[in-house]
Amino acid sequence: MPQYQVLRKVSFVNLDTLEERPTLFNPEQFSQSINVDWKSFQVVGLGYEPVMYSHTGNHEFSLTLPWRVTTVAERYRFREFVRFIKSCCYPEQPGASPPDVLFVWPGVVSVPVKIRTYSQTDILFNKQAEATRTDIALTMFWVRRQALLAGEMRQYGASEGVD
């Protein structure tokens, strides 16, 4: 009997509406960054600047999602995904904020995020001037409701305790 390997795809869940949208392909690029903020202070005659830890910023995730669209069904899925992700950049009503989005890449990361930037680049086109290859670049930051300590990061990584 042949062994089939299931591709574990990136997906996004709007945590306000619980709508989920998987990607067609996994990212071609994925990066993470952490900004640690230090405050320096001056002591007269000390000869160097001591530094004191201020805080660690929210983790930032950047990825590029490739979309190759050749069929009507793929074009429909692509358009639905684009509308979904773009809607997560806007609040539901005036005075509110855009929703938290659960960013899941099984085995890599699973955390609630806010979308910081959305960028779409259409690369290839068919004879009807419809994009057949599009890259969607997202930058997101991890939404934390409590402090993250070194031991938790060592134990769980960027997965909110879910590996």
Side-chain angles (χ1 to χ4, degrees), residues 7-22:
L7 178 61
R8 296 165 20 146
K9 293 182 187 173
V10 167
S11 66
F12 298 88
V13 180
N14 179 323
L15 291 175
D16 286 351
T17 64
L18 300 182
E19 293 174 84
E20 180 178 7
R21 291 293 186 282

Side-chain angles (χ1 to χ4, degrees), residues 45 58 68-69 78 91-92 96 99 124 132 135 142 153 157 161:
N58 294 339
R68 291 170 188 87
V69 177
F78 170 73
E92 283 291 325
L124 296 173
T132 58
D135 284 351
W142 187 357
M153 180 50 66

Side-chain angles (χ1 to χ4, degrees), residues 1-162:
M1 181 190 287
Q3 292 289 329
Y4 295 100
Q5 194 167 9
V6 176
L7 178 61
R8 296 165 20 146
K9 293 182 187 173
V10 167
S11 66
F12 298 88
V13 180
N14 179 323
L15 291 175
D16 286 351
T17 64
L18 300 182
E19 293 174 84
E20 180 178 7
R21 291 293 186 282
T23 60
L24 192 57
F25 300 100
N26 280 331
E28 292 182 346
Q29 299 175 357
F30 179 65
S31 62
Q32 301 179 46
S33 62
I34 302 170
N35 183 29
V36 182
D37 193 18
W38 299 91
K39 301 297 181 197
S40 60
F41 55 97
Q42 297 173 352
V43 178
V44 176
L46 191 55
Y48 64 93
E49 258 185 5
V51 294
M52 179 179 279
Y53 171 75
S54 173
H55 67 281
T56 301
N58 294 339
H59 294 215
E60 194 163 276
F61 305 101
S62 298
L63 54 84
T64 301
L65 298 167
W67 286 84
R68 291 170 188 87
V69 177
T70 57
T71 67
V72 172
E74 287 172 349
R75 185 162 312 285
Y76 177 79
R77 268 187 75 192
F78 170 73
R79 288 179 178 158
E80 282 294 309
F81 181 83
V82 166
R83 285 194 293 265
F84 170 79
I85 286 295
K86 284 182 176 179
S87 75
C88 292
C89 298
Y90 295 91
E92 283 291 325
Q93 58 191 13
S97 81
D100 289 353
V101 176
L102 183 61
F103 166 48
V104 179
W105 189 353
V108 179
V109 65
S110 176
V111 294
V113 298
K114 295 276 191 192
I115 297 174
R116 186 178 308 275
T117 62
Y118 170 96
S119 176
Q120 179 176 327
T121 305
D122 296 328
I123 300 168
L124 296 173
F125 298 87
N126 62 18
K127 292 178 182 178
Q128 291 77 36
E130 298 171 317
T132 58
R133 167 68 198 259
T134 299
D135 284 351
I136 295 175
L138 296 174
T139 303
M140 307 161 286
F141 62 93
W142 187 357
V143 177
R144 295 213 32 97
R145 305 282 187 236
Q146 61 189 33
L148 177 64
L149 302 175
E152 294 169 303
M153 180 50 66
R154 286 183 66 95
Q155 184 174 0
Y156 301 117
S159 63
E160 290 280 296
V162 179

